[in-house]
Each structure stands twice: as structure tokens, then as C-alpha cells.
Amino acid sequence: MESKRSKYVLIGLSVFCIILIAITSFKDGFLNPLRSGIGYFLIPIQSGVNRAGTTLYNGISSYSTMKSAMEEKQLLQAQIDTLIEENSRLQSEQFELQRLRELYELDQEYMKYDKIGARVIAKDSGDWFQVFRINKGASDGVRVDANVIAGGGLVGIVTDVGANYATVRSIIDDVSRVSGMAQQSGDTCIVAGNLMLFEEGRLQINNIMTDGDIKDGDRIVTSNISSKFLPGILIGYATDITTDETRLTRSGYLIPVAHFDSLQEVLVITTLKEDLMNGTAEDSSVPQQEEAQ
């Protein structure tokens, strides 16, 4: 049974091959209608398949390109974030270096006084550093009435001390009074703190004697007769000096050299005025102008 079936299959294949040989033996002109008929049905199908294939290929290519672009964008964004962070760090370090350089120059200017550096760690609410706290205290040799300098000159005075912190009241505070003098002439005055006035970047100068030689542009430093401030520390520059209505005194304004809106590091002078007075046996009969911190 199986042998007969195999025989018939072989005969059928042989006949099919003979037919194909016969067809291919005819001239092309005979096959053209057949080819045209087949092409009429197959060409639209082939075009559709080509369009579908092209669309699919383009879609896959676009997705691959988009995915690659997204990955590249994420990589570039990560690099940008890193560069921004590094740039911010470098700028911060540059600003800190500049501040420390200024403190070093200030330290050199007042070499005769012992000092330690401190960082501002807190301040009262408001725009200005009228009262603030530093990270150095009694364990570092800081004492009440220690003078504090930064930004080229006097900042304030220590009013309270803990083991590892100290509170500083700046010269712009409303209750601050500093006995000053013109560096050129030695004539004295009082530099009075005033927060409202400091909105204009100025402080008040008063108690200038009418014959005192204090004029616009003079350097105002802490006076020799100050009870708590060490002598010769630059406070600022005199401006708009006029005679008072009483004609007995003169007054004006002072532009401080320290920057009270951005204090970050300061120098604390550990030598007190009291130490100098005791060490030099300063004559107690010398009149001293009243000061409040």
C-alpha cells in the first residue's frame, strides 16, 4: 500500500516538472499576459508591504534615535549638574579665600593685638548683623568687652560669653556708642549706632567740639580715651559734618568700613582695653566719654 502511494507521488512530481519545463520553453511573448496578470495583483500587495515595512523601519529607527538622544541628554544633564556644583563650590571657595585674605591683612594691620578667628553662626532677625553669635568662647580665650573686627575695621564688642560661643553687639545697633577720633587731628567724637539711619549706609557722629578739626573724608578710629574699645581701630569715614543749631558742637555722619549685611568670619581681639590700662598704669584722671554697648 505504501509502495503504491510513493509510486503515485513520484509520477505526479515527474509530470509537474515536465509541465514546468514545457512552460519555460515557450517564448516570452506567450508568458507576458500571465506575468501582467500576476503583476496586477501582486504589485499593490508588494507596495503595501513595502510601505508597511518602511513605516515600521522608520518607527524603529526613530525610537532608537529618540532613546539614544534621551540617554545622551541625561548624560549631558548629569555632566552639567556636576559642572554647576563644581563651579558653585569653586566660587564659594574663592569668596571665602578673599574674605580670609582680608582678615589676614587686617590681622597684619593690628599685629600689636592678640587675636583669634571666629565664624558667625547665628544672628538676630533682620537684614543686618546688629547682634550675632560666633563659634568661639571662653575656652578659646574670648572675654566680655573683647573687640571684634572684620571687613577692614571695627565691627563691635563681645557682650556675653559661653564656653564655646560668644555674643557680639555691633556698632550699628541702636544702643551702641563708640568713642572715636579723627586719625589726622586726634579730635574726638561719638559714633552712635542707629539701625534706621544705617538703612542709608550711615551712622551718626556727634559731640564734635566747634573748634575740632574733623572734616568730610577724615578717617575715624577708636579714641585713646575709649573705656572699652582699643585705640586706633578704623571705624569709618566722616561725611556731611555741620555745625549744630546750638553753635556749641558739630555733628555729621560716618560711613563704616565693615559690611554688616554679610558677616561670615571675624577676628576677635583677645587683648582687652582693661589689660592695656592695667599694664600701662594709664592715668585715671583722664576724662572718659560715656560708652554703651
Side-chain angles (χ1 to χ4, degrees):
M1 187 68 177
E2 288 295 332
S3 60
K4 287 183 179 181
R5 182 178 300 173
S6 300
K7 181 179 179 180
Y8 292 147
V9 171
L10 180 61
I11 293 172
L13 290 174
S14 300
V15 172
F16 179 73
C17 290
I18 293 171
I19 293 173
L20 289 177
I21 293 172
I23 291 173
T24 54
S25 299
F26 288 104
K27 294 182 179 180
D28 290 342
F30 176 77
L31 296 175
N32 283 339
L34 180 60
R35 291 174 180 169
S36 298
I38 294 173
Y40 179 79
F41 291 102
L42 293 182
I43 288 176
I45 296 174
Q46 183 180 6
S47 298
V49 171
N50 288 340
R51 283 196 298 269
T54 301
T55 302
L56 181 61
Y57 174 78
N58 291 336
I60 294 173
S61 298
S62 298
Y63 175 76
S64 177
T65 302
M66 182 176 66
K67 183 179 179 181
S68 176
M70 290 296 293
E71 291 175 350
E72 184 177 359
K73 178 183 177 182
Q74 291 176 354
L75 179 61
L76 290 175
Q77 187 61 51
Q79 293 176 348
I80 291 173
D81 293 341
T82 301
L83 291 175
I84 291 175
E85 182 179 354
E86 291 180 355
N87 184 55
S88 299
R89 179 177 56 80
L90 289 174
Q91 285 186 345
S92 178
E93 291 177 353
Q94 181 181 358
F95 293 148
E96 183 176 7
L97 180 61
Q98 179 63 30
R99 295 194 306 270
L100 294 177
R101 184 179 293 115
E102 291 176 355
L103 285 181
Y104 174 76
E105 293 173 355
L106 196 60
D107 179 52
Q108 296 301 300
E109 185 175 352
Y110 299 103
M111 288 187 64
K112 59 183 177 180
Y113 299 135
D114 294 330
K115 301 176 270 329
I116 60 169
R119 187 177 296 274
V120 177
I121 56 175
K123 76 179 186 71
D124 282 358
S125 60
D127 297 331
W128 317 114
F129 285 75
Q130 70 266 25
V131 178
F132 58 91
R133 181 165 291 183
I134 58 177
N135 65 342
K136 296 296 175 64
S139 61
D140 305 291
V142 177
R143 294 177 287 170
V144 172
D145 292 338
N147 293 191
V148 179
I149 58 178
L154 184 66
V155 169
I157 195 167
V158 173
T159 59
D160 178 60
V161 176
N164 299 302
Y165 74 89
T167 302
V168 179
R169 184 179 301 280
S170 73
I171 62 172
I172 69 172
D173 191 73
D174 289 331
V175 301
S176 176
R177 299 290 183 273
V178 182
S179 178
M181 67 180 183
Q183 190 175 48
Q184 293 85 337
S185 65
D187 289 320
T188 61
C189 62
I190 293 293
V191 178
N194 188 319
L195 290 175
M196 292 187 64
L197 184 60
F198 189 70
E199 293 283 345
E200 304 172 7
R202 304 189 295 176
L203 298 177
Q204 185 77 42
I205 296 179
N206 51 44
N207 284 30
I208 304 172
M209 301 305 296
T210 53
D211 58 348
D213 185 17
I214 297 180
K215 57 186 180 299
D216 291 358
D218 280 357
R219 288 167 58 95
I220 304 300
V221 300
T222 50
S223 73
N224 296 321
I225 61 174
S226 174
S227 62
K228 295 183 178 180
F229 288 95
L230 296 163
I233 301 175
L234 180 62
I235 307 172
Y237 296 88
T239 184
D240 297 336
I241 303 298
T242 58
T243 301
D244 297 333
E245 293 181 357
T246 62
R247 301 290 179 177
L248 299 177
T249 57
R250 301 167 66 210
S251 62
Y253 301 97
L254 175 134
I255 300 175
V257 293
H259 304 289
F260 295 94
D261 58 346
S262 58
L263 288 175
Q264 296 192 50
E265 297 90 13
V266 297
L267 289 177
V268 181
I269 301 177
T270 55
T271 303
L272 300 185
K273 181 63 178 288
E274 180 183 355
D275 298 336
L276 293 184
M277 294 174 66
N278 293 336
T280 58
E282 189 173 13
D283 187 357
S284 60
S285 64
V286 177
Q288 296 187 359
Q289 299 188 43
E290 181 181 359
E291 293 177 313
Q293 289 79 31

